[in-house]
Amino acid sequence: MQEISFANITTDVPSYPAADEKDITVTILRLDKVHPLISGNKIFKLRYYLEEAKLLDRKKIITFGGAWSNHILATAAACQLAGFEATAYIRGEEPATRSSTLTEASQLGMKLIFVAREEYTRQKRKLADETGDAYIIHEGGYGTKGAEGAATIAQHFHQSGYTHICCAAGTGTMTAGLLMSALPVQEVISISVLKNNLQLETDIQALAGTCTGQLTTIHDYHFGGYAKYKPELIHFMNEWYRRSMIPSDFVYTGKLFFAIDDLIKNNFFPPGSKILLVHSGGLQGNTSLSKGTLIF
Ligand SMILES: *Cc1c(COP(=O)(O)O)cnc(C)c1O
């Protein structure tokens, strides 16, 4: 399998007339280029968990997620690269045909155990209590070590060059990491991709502890909820690609780019703002859309 390459990460400044008009610059941190399967923020969130598992001499990693989860596929690939056995508990009954995400995870040697939705939360709690000789990574990599790993994303951009650092949030682990590494004058803006996840800010603060950056969570751009979308979002993603040649995914980064575009147009950012948009990867999730939906 292809090795992970942090050297592939770039900071791109695409043409952006709507931002120019407001005297705002937008830079994209291309974490999506790190690896095709362990893409975007996932390797950063996983790195210290895997390191600890090695230190503790655990042979097996157990984790949790849904059928199209970027975290599941990234964990499967990272475990294969690092020489761990991997098992994942997948939310929901086994479907007649598996998603491409699960097919690929399974080809990478990950054992998949399907758990009915009603059972899933109970099973997660139970397993988290009885680690045995396995090392447990929580769903989405949520946890302190995940945030500490995400804080190392900051090694890949020039920190003092930005007034705002913006990212998409599921569990908020990446946001917590970006907040931990932020400067006191910087604002970290976290776009929730879940509907009404009012827990998000508390979850982020719980991981980030007493950090210096300023956090804003925004809940208005979920498009109906997690992995839900509307034609407006798809249209935006295609237009964004036409202008910048940067692909996005409809679960996370498409919603992030849409949100920031909308906020720029509505004067949320003062003139002179230098915005860093974290492209956290996740492009494999687009395979769940029917062919031709996206132009890339
Ligand atoms: C997992 C993921 C996120 C969310 O990260 P959290 O740390 O759970 O908030 C954001 N973007 C992409 C592309 C992801 O795959």
Side-chain angles (χ1 to χ4, degrees):
M1 197 193 339
Q2 192 176 318
E3 289 293 320
I4 293 156
S5 176
F6 293 116
N8 284 348
I9 297 172
T10 56
T11 43
D12 299 357
V13 184
S15 142
Y16 206 145
D20 296 343
E21 230 172 77
K22 310 271 181 181
D23 188 24
I24 288 170
T25 62
V26 177
T27 305
I28 321 293
L29 180 67
R30 300 292 304 277
L31 301 183
D32 56 309
K33 293 162 137 193
V34 167
H35 192 276
L37 304 178
I38 319 172
S39 100
N41 64 4
K42 296 299 182 277
I43 187 56
F44 291 96
K45 293 204 289 179
L46 287 170
R47 68 198 304 182
Y48 292 146
Y49 291 121
L50 297 179
E51 204 174 281
E52 183 173 71
K54 270 253 145 73
L55 273 173
L56 295 172
D57 204 26
R58 303 280 166 80
K59 306 282 182 263
K60 181 170 154 188
I61 304 290
I62 295 180
T63 196
F64 312 86
W68 294 97
S69 165
N70 297 327
H71 167 72
I72 292 293
L73 182 56
T75 305
C79 283
Q80 201 200 57
L81 274 180
F84 289 106
E85 281 175 50
T87 296
Y89 287 80
I90 306 299
R91 186 177 56 240
E93 306 278 0
E94 178 160 12
T97 37
R98 286 189 180 186
S99 66
S100 58
T101 308
L102 293 184
T103 305
E104 218 162 349
S106 156
Q107 280 163 2
L108 290 162
M110 181 177 251
K111 187 173 156 200
L112 303 176
I113 300 170
F114 292 85
V115 189
R117 277 164 203 275
E118 316 78 66
E119 279 287 301
Y120 183 73
T121 310
R122 206 174 58 82
Q123 189 78 3
K124 265 201 311 194
R125 274 204 210 102
K126 185 165 146 262
L127 269 163
D129 288 342
E130 25 173 277
T131 43
D133 65 344
Y135 185 89
I136 306 273
I137 300 179
H138 287 293
E139 185 163 5
Y142 182 81
T144 312
K145 288 210 178 294
E148 283 166 5
T152 66
I153 291 173
Q155 295 166 4
H156 300 279
F157 61 91
H158 182 58
Q159 187 83 46
S160 63
Y162 303 99
T163 54
H164 299 79
I165 297 170
C166 309
C167 70
T171 65
T173 309
M174 168 173 56
T175 308
L178 293 169
L179 197 57
M180 285 157 79
S181 54
L183 304 172
V185 294
Q186 277 170 336
E187 214 177 306
V188 175
I189 297 180
S190 184
I191 306 295
S192 178
V193 303
L194 281 78
K195 188 174 175 177
N196 299 335
N197 178 17
L198 303 176
Q199 217 14 58
L200 179 63
E201 189 149 343
T202 316
D203 289 348
I204 294 169
Q205 297 287 7
L207 298 183
T210 50
C211 61
T212 52
Q214 304 159 39
L215 172 66
T216 305
T217 54
I218 295 181
H219 297 269
D220 306 329
Y221 297 98
H222 55 71
F223 286 89
Y226 181 72
K228 300 262 189 344
Y229 64 94
K230 299 198 165 123
E232 193 188 0
L233 177 66
I234 300 297
H235 175 75
F236 174 86
M237 288 165 63
N238 282 331
E239 285 308 311
W240 168 275
Y241 181 77
R242 259 193 208 106
R243 172 170 50 76
S244 65
M245 299 307 285
I246 298 175
S248 53
D249 78 293
F250 75 98
V251 182
Y252 294 101
T253 55
K255 292 179 183 179
L256 167 69
F257 296 166
F258 184 101
I260 300 306
D261 186 72
D262 195 52
L263 292 169
I264 288 174
K265 288 172 178 160
N266 287 296
N267 301 316
F268 175 91
F269 298 99
S273 294
K274 296 186 181 348
I275 301 175
L276 183 75
L277 284 185
V278 179
H279 192 319
S280 42
L283 298 170
Q284 67 89 23
N286 287 341
T287 48
S288 73
L289 298 173
S290 54
K291 259 203 165 59
T293 306
L294 294 168
I295 59 171
F296 47 92

